[in-house]
Amino acid sequence: MKSGIITKVAGPLVIADGMRDANLFDVVRVSNQRLIGEIIEMHGEKASIQVYEETSGLGPGEVVESTGAPLSVELGPGLIGSIYDGIQRPLNEIMKIAGTNLKRGVDVPSLNHEKKWHFTPTVKQGDKVISGDVIGTIQETHAVLHKIMVPNKVNGTIKNIKQGDFTIDEIVAVVETEKGEQQIKMMTTWPVRVGRPYKKKLSPDILLTTGQRPIDTLFPLAKGGVAAVPGPFGSGKTVVQHQLAKWAAADIIVYIGCGERGNEMTDVLNEFPELKDPRTGNSLMERTVLIANTSDMPVAAREASIYTGITIAEYFRDMGYTVALMADSTSRWAEALREMSGRLEEMPGEEGYPAYLGSRLAQFYERAGRVIVNGSKDTEAALSVIGAVSPPGGDISEPVSQATLRIVKVFWELDANLAYKRHFPAINWLTSYSLYTDKLKDWFAKNAAPDFMELRGRMMSLLQDESKLQEIVNLVGMDALSAPDRLKLESSRSIREDYLHQNAFDPTDTYTSLKKQVLMMRAILSYYDKSLEALKRGANIEMLVNIPVRERIGRFKYEPEENIENEFSSIEAQLDSEIKDVLERSDD
């Protein structure tokens, strides 16, 4: 052990002298209470340490010991369904030891080292393997087949491999390499600040389907993409993330509560185990890892929670899975960076945030991507990152939102005004955007409908025209509008209320397949096109606005999947009949 002496304590920052043998980012144990910390700066023999636990009562003269290893996570069977704090300590196990009051310096292994798992080999003696190859599997939960991989930088021939029940510390295989024998256990460790390697990054040109109409249609997220969800308090960030966790086309969910209020995190911890996984019918926790880091925990642990979460997500990506990571919220992490930067007496940037805020955020988001993972087979996998941003008062001109905007490709801005009107998800269709839309053109044409992008474009232009027309209406009233403009307003209202408004708590409306999204768009635009044609032939606008079929178009979203084609045909027939009727009555 390399040890030093504390010379200064300033909140979560501890300065220790005599640390000449320690390295940057080493994990240290502070004082005889054995608090966990990490070296974030070295000046000669002086080390600046951010401590991940409460430092009250610490004073100069106490001993600091370096473990000589960077902050790492344990990766292996037992991750799924676990609830960790920011430094991967299992909260359930801590509660058994410490009760409901979390004591300082508690040291609990991240994974259960006594439990036996049934290991089934997928290779045999004499097989050649390279790093990333799967050598065996464990059925961890109903939903997740845990794959044991050859560790990084290990290439060779399988000398022996066993089948049976083992703990994560027992040797399950031995690989003969050029440098000698390499023993493989079911558990590995990985430093959290280092991205796990892969063969090749792929273009983000496959949709991550979510079943949420405003997202899939207007502002789509590609597999392996990065998205930000900024919004003020009460605008529905957490519900959006819950919906994505439940319905996104991802095999594994990693949810990081980064510096969120304790009651919000408690809701997540209570609700996630009760959420039903639509794929299996079992608890959503059977394919979820939760990292709970609340706002009353030491701020330094927020940074650790972000890195811990993405390292666990990369581990499952390396198995060939599609992983979705939700970080709620990166603003709290940025606040922690600001506090640590102030304590280190660094030159502040805008609003007191450190000058390196943008690069730190970029380092986190760039670990997302659709990739070919390491191994002898070209296995495709993806890690998508959705970060919530909590700008004070919803003001996205502040530094964290702006730095995030420069990095992410999808921006779903949640609008407080829409939330007050009970329009959820409260994604503002005029200020949100997705830069993946062009890349996904071919995918939509092939998997949704050949004219999908045309339908989407027409809906967007109607919504934009509506915002301009609404200004005129607010100034001089509805009567000033021409009949075609009035029709535009009515059709846009249909798009807003019937298409973009989606009820997360309705069993049918909570998820909409792409096929149904296409039919819903066609029904709304068909009403607009046919009514516009009728107006040219002298139809009365009041009659067109009030035709009964419009109610059926609005209720189409509550139609079960198996009925949608029949219902669409029936709506089309009724629409033709009623518009014909309006034309006849207008002629009279």
Side-chain angles (χ1 to χ4, degrees), residues 523-581:
I524 293 167
L525 292 170
S526 181
Y527 163 75
Y528 175 69
D529 291 340
K530 287 173 180 174
S531 298
L532 193 61
E533 189 57 42
L535 278 179
K536 289 174 186 168
R537 291 168 57 189
N540 179 305
I541 182 67
E542 285 297 333
M543 289 183 186
L544 287 172
V545 165
N546 294 311
I547 56 176
V549 75
R550 289 196 68 200
E551 194 180 331
R552 274 188 81 186
I553 293 171
R555 283 205 315 267
F556 189 25
K557 61 183 173 184
Y558 299 114
E559 204 62 41
E561 286 286 332
E562 60 271 18
N563 297 349
I564 54 174
E565 284 180 338
N566 291 340
E567 179 67 5
F568 178 72
S569 304
S570 172
I571 285 172
E572 284 283 272
Q574 188 179 339
L575 179 63
D576 288 340
S577 155
E578 287 179 3
I579 284 188
K580 188 180 172 190
D581 183 46

Side-chain angles (χ1 to χ4, degrees), residues 134-408:
V134 176
I135 59 162
T137 59
I138 292 143
Q139 194 66 51
E140 190 171 349
T141 66
H142 286 95
V144 178
L145 185 70
H146 197 111
K147 300 170 187 176
I148 303 300
M149 298 167 287
V150 178
N152 196 34
K153 296 180 181 171
V154 174
N155 305 319
T157 310
I158 297 282
K159 188 177 179 187
N160 69 54
I161 189 161
K162 307 172 195 168
Q163 174 162 350
D165 296 341
F166 305 99
T167 66
I168 56 175
D169 295 322
E170 291 181 78
I171 296 156
V172 292
V174 177
V175 177
E176 189 73 64
T177 71
E178 290 175 2
K179 296 174 183 172
E181 290 185 358
Q182 178 80 33
Q183 297 173 337
I184 299 180
K185 300 173 184 176
M186 289 195 274
M187 185 197 84
T188 59
T189 57
W190 191 269
V192 297
R193 291 178 184 271
V194 179
R196 286 174 65 89
Y198 49 81
K199 267 193 212 169
K200 182 186 174 190
K201 207 160 200 171
L202 302 171
S203 173
D205 52 15
I206 294 175
L207 178 73
L208 181 75
T209 49
T210 65
Q212 310 307 300
R213 293 188 295 270
I215 292 174
D216 287 352
T217 303
L218 299 188
F219 314 110
L221 174 63
K223 266 189 187 178
V226 286
V229 194
F233 179 76
S235 58
K237 290 190 294 294
T238 306
V239 175
V240 167
Q241 294 209 323
H242 281 204
Q243 282 295 89
L244 294 174
K246 191 172 179 182
W247 294 107
D251 305 307
I252 309 284
I253 303 296
V254 178
Y255 191 99
I256 308 167
C258 175
E260 281 302 288
R261 293 171 189 82
N263 59 335
E264 282 192 25
M265 209 57 234
T266 307
D267 285 347
V268 171
L269 298 181
N270 287 334
E271 284 169 23
F272 262 57
E274 288 178 18
L275 282 178
K276 206 171 178 188
D277 185 350
R279 297 175 172 207
T280 61
N282 298 323
S283 165
L284 191 63
M285 283 302 287
E286 291 203 353
R287 57 184 180 94
T288 303
V289 181
L290 285 180
I291 293 164
N293 174 271
T294 59
S295 51
D296 63 342
M297 291 179 179
V299 292
R302 295 179 189 178
E303 181 165 33
S305 67
I306 287 283
Y307 287 120
T308 296
I310 200 150
T311 307
I312 291 171
E314 284 178 332
Y315 173 64
F316 284 106
R317 176 208 68 192
D318 290 348
M319 293 181 198
Y321 290 123
T322 298
V323 185
L325 179 135
M326 321 284 166
D328 188 9
S329 91
T330 52
S331 295
R332 309 271 177 262
W333 169 34
E335 285 164 11
L337 287 177
R338 177 167 63 182
E339 176 162 343
M340 290 308 296
S341 175
R343 302 227 182 240
L344 288 165
E345 297 172 7
E346 294 172 339
M347 181 69 79
E350 195 182 348
E351 288 189 25
Y353 286 101
Y356 49 77
L357 172 68
S359 64
R360 282 288 177 87
L361 286 168
Q363 281 166 14
F364 167 66
Y365 281 110
E366 74 182 2
R367 287 169 73 170
R370 189 166 71 93
V371 301
I372 301 287
V373 296
N374 281 350
S376 40
K377 293 177 185 167
D378 281 351
T379 306
E380 196 180 293
L383 166 54
S384 311
V385 175
I386 297 117
V389 184
S390 313
D395 173 22
I396 63 160
S397 64
E398 56 87 44
V400 184
S401 301
Q402 289 303 308
T404 306
L405 273 176
R406 287 195 286 273
I407 302 157
V408 300

